[in-house]
Amino acid sequence: MKYAIALDVGGTSMKAALVGTDGTVLHRSERPTRRERGPEAVVGSILDFAADLGEEGLGRYGVPAASAGVVVPGVVDAGGGTAVYAANLGWRDVPLRALLAARLSPSDGSRLPVALGHDVHAGGLAESRIGAGGGVDRSLFLALGTGIAGAIGIDGRTEVGAHGAAGEIGHIVVRPDGPRCGCGRDGCLETVASASAVSRAWAAACGDPEADAADCARAVESGDARALAVWQQAVDALADGLVTAVTLLDPRVVIIGGGLAKAGDTLLAPLRSAVLRRITFQRTPHIVPAALGDIAGCLGAALLAWDLLATEVPN
Ligand SMILES: [Zn+2]
């Protein structure tokens, strides 16, 4: 039985799985990240979790994992195996791949191959290859959550850019006079169209500080005019950002994931219309919902692990 250890580290929780060579999830587990303990404690928890998964696999299948894939948020140097920077986890230049390889490698002296990647890039990889994209040659994945991040899919891999920073569609400026973004500029796409942005706008419009984007979507579905106005602002901004990306990348499929995508056609139907209104010469991509849910990042980590094994020279 050949399996990989897969781990998706988020700001709130860490999702893990043992995954077969065909992408089958054999075992799933989740633990809180508890980032308030500081970056060193979080790194320790990642190593412990990965080691426990290794033990789980060894107990189940009698053989150690064939490889491991770990994906993290922020800026990742996949080639160097370093988690360079993550604002929400407070770490800088953590040599995560070397730490994991040291912790996970069997005691017989052999070395477990470990792949390190970016969480949204990995989620997009899984969606384009084995999820909503179904193996499509050119895709663009958008995760609409606290912020907005993207992944550019090309022939079964993710274009990460020269510095690992490709796909940051959330920081395309769509409303130059809009709210200040965490990156320092005004009116970035994620300040208007992320799940958090819609939550803020709907809370202000309806007067309930606890109201969120899911409440807004439900109000849209019941025909609430104030909700429709809030929703359309986000949809229009999203279409502006998306058409910029489509003009540059010409994707065949655009896959929409993240918390806001749970609204389904309440989001996708007006988004398709808004994109169509803006398209002139460009070819319109298929805009589809993500299919893998919150296991996408973990599956992407497993794909990175299997890809790494496929490129390693057998010894
Ligand atoms: Zn920004």
Side-chain angles (χ1 to χ4, degrees):
M1 184 66 197
K2 219 170 168 186
Y3 64 93
I5 294 169
L7 195 54
D8 176 12
V9 179
T12 309
S13 70
M14 302 187 284
K15 298 179 181 71
L18 299 178
V19 182
T21 46
D22 60 353
T24 306
V25 176
L26 307 166
H27 167 74
R28 275 183 79 166
S29 183
E30 189 167 340
R31 291 180 187 176
T33 307
R34 296 196 290 128
R35 61 184 178 188
E36 69 283 356
R37 298 172 301 148
E40 281 174 24
V42 171
V43 170
S45 295
I46 293 169
L47 298 178
D48 289 345
F49 200 1
D52 289 349
L53 281 160
E55 290 296 319
E56 176 75 29
L58 192 59
R60 282 173 172 244
Y61 308 113
V63 288
S67 61
V70 176
V71 300
V72 298
V75 179
V76 179
D77 174 6
T82 307
V84 177
Y85 173 71
N88 63 350
L89 294 173
W91 63 33
R92 276 183 188 278
D93 299 318
V94 180
L96 207 46
R97 187 174 64 199
L99 291 170
L100 283 157
R103 181 71 179 268
L104 294 174
S105 291
S107 52
D108 65 4
S110 59
R111 192 183 62 84
L112 181 81
V114 179
L116 183 70
H118 177 275
D119 56 354
V120 175
H121 287 173
L125 178 69
E127 286 289 356
S128 79
R129 243 203 256 178
I130 58 175
V136 69
D137 56 349
R138 294 288 188 284
S139 65
L140 176 64
F141 171 71
L142 258 65
L144 311 176
T146 311
I148 296 180
I152 301 160
I154 300 174
D155 291 332
R157 62 178 189 84
T158 305
E159 170 53 48
V160 301
H163 310 94
E168 291 289 351
I169 187 172
H171 298 286
I172 288 179
V173 173
V174 293
R175 300 289 179 267
D177 54 352
R180 177 62 49 90
C181 180
C183 77
R185 296 200 72 189
D186 291 334
C188 290
L189 178 58
E190 71 176 37
T191 68
V192 192
S194 63
S196 308
V198 172
S199 293
R200 276 195 302 275
W202 177 233
C206 76
D208 174 4
E210 300 293 311
D212 65 9
D215 297 323
C216 186
R218 278 189 289 274
V220 167
E221 286 154 15
S222 65
D224 185 302
R226 292 170 309 171
L228 278 164
V230 165
W231 199 251
Q232 195 58 45
Q233 273 191 358
V235 166
D236 282 334
L238 202 49
D240 285 336
L242 205 47
V243 169
T244 299
V246 166
T247 306
L248 201 58
L249 300 170
D250 185 24
R252 204 174 302 280
V253 175
V254 173
I255 303 164
I256 309 287
L260 203 61
K262 290 184 179 145
D265 272 345
T266 301
L267 176 67
L268 292 191
L271 180 60
R272 290 187 188 109
S273 306
V275 167
L276 269 181
R277 284 198 299 275
R278 288 162 171 79
I279 292 279
T280 53
F281 68 92
Q282 303 92 333
R283 292 289 294 271
T284 312
H286 295 291
I287 301 177
V288 301
L292 300 174
D294 64 2
I295 193 81
C298 226
L299 285 169
L303 291 174
L304 292 176
W306 291 131
D307 287 355
L308 178 65
L309 209 57
T311 57
E312 290 231 326
V313 181
N315 50 18

